Amino acid sequence: MPLSAVASAASTSLTSANPRRSSPASRVPVSLRRSLPCRLLSSSSSSRSPLVPVSAMASSSPTAAGETSSRKKLIIFDAEEDLAESLAKRTAELSARFAAERGAFTVVLSGGSLVKALRKLAEPPYLEAVDWSKWHVFWVDERVVPKDHADSNYKLASDGFLSKVPIPAGQVYAINDSLSAEGAAEDYEARLRQLVKNGMIAMSPVTGFPKFDLMLMGMGPDGHVASLFPGHPVVNENQKWVTFVKDSPKPPPERITFTFPVINSSAYIALVVTGAGKAGAVHKALSEGQNTSDLLPVEMVSLQDGELTWFTDKPAVSMLSSI
Ligand SMILES: O=C(O)[C@H](O)[C@@H](O)[C@H](O)[C@H](O)COP(=O)(O)O
């Protein structure tokens, strides 16, 4: 799999008005180019956002018709504010693209700090520019608690984001909170299958699993993603679309979660990982020479035909020796 990364200059450098500054790519330490298994790509130094333009992404990994392409990038921001702006911009771009291409935009959310990072989507210019009527919102994982419970990922997203944007209520797919963990997972998968059948959710011709347009996810300090925790047998689930755990090491214990075949069939994943508490897992995931027999869940995120972008900050990448 070609692994290309935007080892981006910090956003403050990128937004600098000083015309004598070198381009972001050339400011990335040479050692980084050696230590990260990546090819450096960058947007222009005058760009407000350090995201690589879509055209540059495509050219980083050209595909002929019928071939698949898997791309991986790392963006490092100086400030959380810049990360949030860039995430909003990228999400809005993908929303416009999928709405035009397929008349719907399927977006999957995690819980955790990710939701706060989405706040700028609910502000101008994105609030007015995004066609919210095309959004269909799902959860990559959910805690099995009532929807109005403080632990509910639905409540977190609803309070922090969804209540501030005009997505039709019928297009927000919360779990059935009256069921057991097992029942809620089965019910959620059945609803996904129905939405695949009516064409709302795309199907991956490559994997035979549903292909969501964009998954917006966080990562825990232990390297978990969704509710797929290190060493838990559900990380190896390869048939079901949605499964459950009753012994999550992160409370609350009962959760439902998308499985890796579904996560890895996504068209785009934005993995938002900030803070020094994540540095160890980031180091393990992004350093060369990893032990492939002992993968963290985050290392099992491997898109079959899509693009994975890490949205990080300096504390999160602080253990990458070359940065
Ligand atoms: O329900 C959950 O617990 C989340 O979906 C979980 O997977 C979360 O995204 C990560 O633990 C990262 O959370 P933070 O970004 O808050 O560390």
Side-chain angles (χ1 to χ4, degrees):
M1 176 181 86
L3 176 62
S4 68
V6 181
S8 161
S11 52
T12 48
S13 303
L14 281 166
T15 56
S16 165
N18 183 348
R20 283 179 306 199
R21 286 201 128 154
S22 56
S23 75
S26 66
R27 287 198 301 275
V28 173
V30 171
S31 54
L32 174 62
R33 302 174 200 199
R34 282 199 303 270
S35 84
L36 286 178
C38 66
R39 186 147 72 89
L40 296 176
L41 300 171
S42 183
S43 58
S44 104
S45 58
S46 62
S47 165
R48 180 75 187 99
S49 159
L51 279 173
V52 169
V54 174
S55 56
M57 293 179 196
S59 66
S60 73
S61 182
T63 51
E67 287 180 10
T68 63
S69 152
S70 175
R71 294 143 347 254
K72 203 163 175 179
K73 299 179 189 168
L74 169 67
I75 314 179
I76 304 157
F77 294 90
D78 256 355
E80 197 274 341
E81 201 58 16
D82 299 321
L83 183 156
E85 173 63 30
S86 185
L87 187 65
K89 182 168 183 281
R90 187 69 184 131
T91 302
E93 285 166 2
L94 291 173
S95 170
R97 191 184 118 190
F98 282 103
E101 278 177 8
R102 44 184 307 268
F105 183 45
T106 53
V107 181
V108 181
L109 305 177
S110 73
S113 56
L114 179 268
V115 174
K116 186 173 169 232
L118 294 177
R119 67 189 179 280
K120 289 190 182 283
L121 276 167
E123 295 171 9
Y126 306 108
L127 180 59
E128 299 80 19
V130 168
D131 183 353
W132 299 103
S133 71
K134 299 292 192 294
W135 279 51
H136 292 258
V137 178
F138 304 85
W139 275 266
V140 73
D141 73 330
E142 177 58 288
R143 293 94 179 269
V144 183
V145 293
K147 280 200 276 291
D148 58 359
H149 191 282
D151 283 338
S152 162
N153 282 345
Y154 168 83
K155 178 173 164 46
L156 179 74
S158 188
D159 292 350
F161 172 48
L162 298 173
S163 61
K164 301 173 181 173
V165 296
I167 300 171
Q171 294 172 201
V172 175
Y173 305 90
I175 69 165
N176 183 337
D177 60 359
S178 68
L179 300 173
S180 65
E182 194 168 1
E186 272 172 20
D187 173 76
Y188 210 69
E189 178 166 330
R191 286 154 68 200
L192 297 186
R193 287 186 183 276
Q194 193 52 47
L195 291 164
V196 165
K197 212 179 246 176
N198 70 23
M200 194 57 73
I201 300 173
M203 195 67 178
S204 167
V206 181
T207 66
F209 283 87
K211 186 179 180 81
F212 289 91
D213 300 331
L214 173 64
M215 289 199 188
L216 295 153
M217 301 202 300
M219 179 198 80
D222 59 356
H224 82 260
V225 290
S227 285
L228 299 162
F229 291 90
H232 198 287
V234 297
V235 301
N236 299 316
E237 173 60 55
N238 60 12
Q239 302 292 319
K240 290 181 183 165
W241 296 5
V242 183
T243 190
F244 65 96
V245 298
K246 289 189 158 183
D247 52 359
S248 161
K250 176 182 177 181
E254 300 207 356
R255 292 146 174 266
I256 74 164
T257 181
F258 281 12
T259 59
F260 272 119
V262 176
I263 291 171
N264 287 339
S265 298
S266 307
Y268 290 88
I269 291 182
L271 196 55
V272 178
V273 178
T274 58
K278 313 281 171 77
V282 170
H283 177 249
K284 174 146 178 13
L286 296 181
S287 296
E288 271 178 342
Q290 318 146 23
N291 177 358
T292 49
S293 65
D294 184 25
L295 292 178
L296 294 175
V298 72
E299 296 174 89
M300 297 171 74
V301 178
S302 174
L303 293 185
Q304 298 299 304
D305 183 20
E307 181 179 288
L308 166 63
T309 304
W310 288 69
F311 286 76
T312 67
D313 62 1
K314 288 188 165 176
V317 298
S318 57
M319 287 175 67
L320 295 178
S321 53
S322 49
I323 293 182

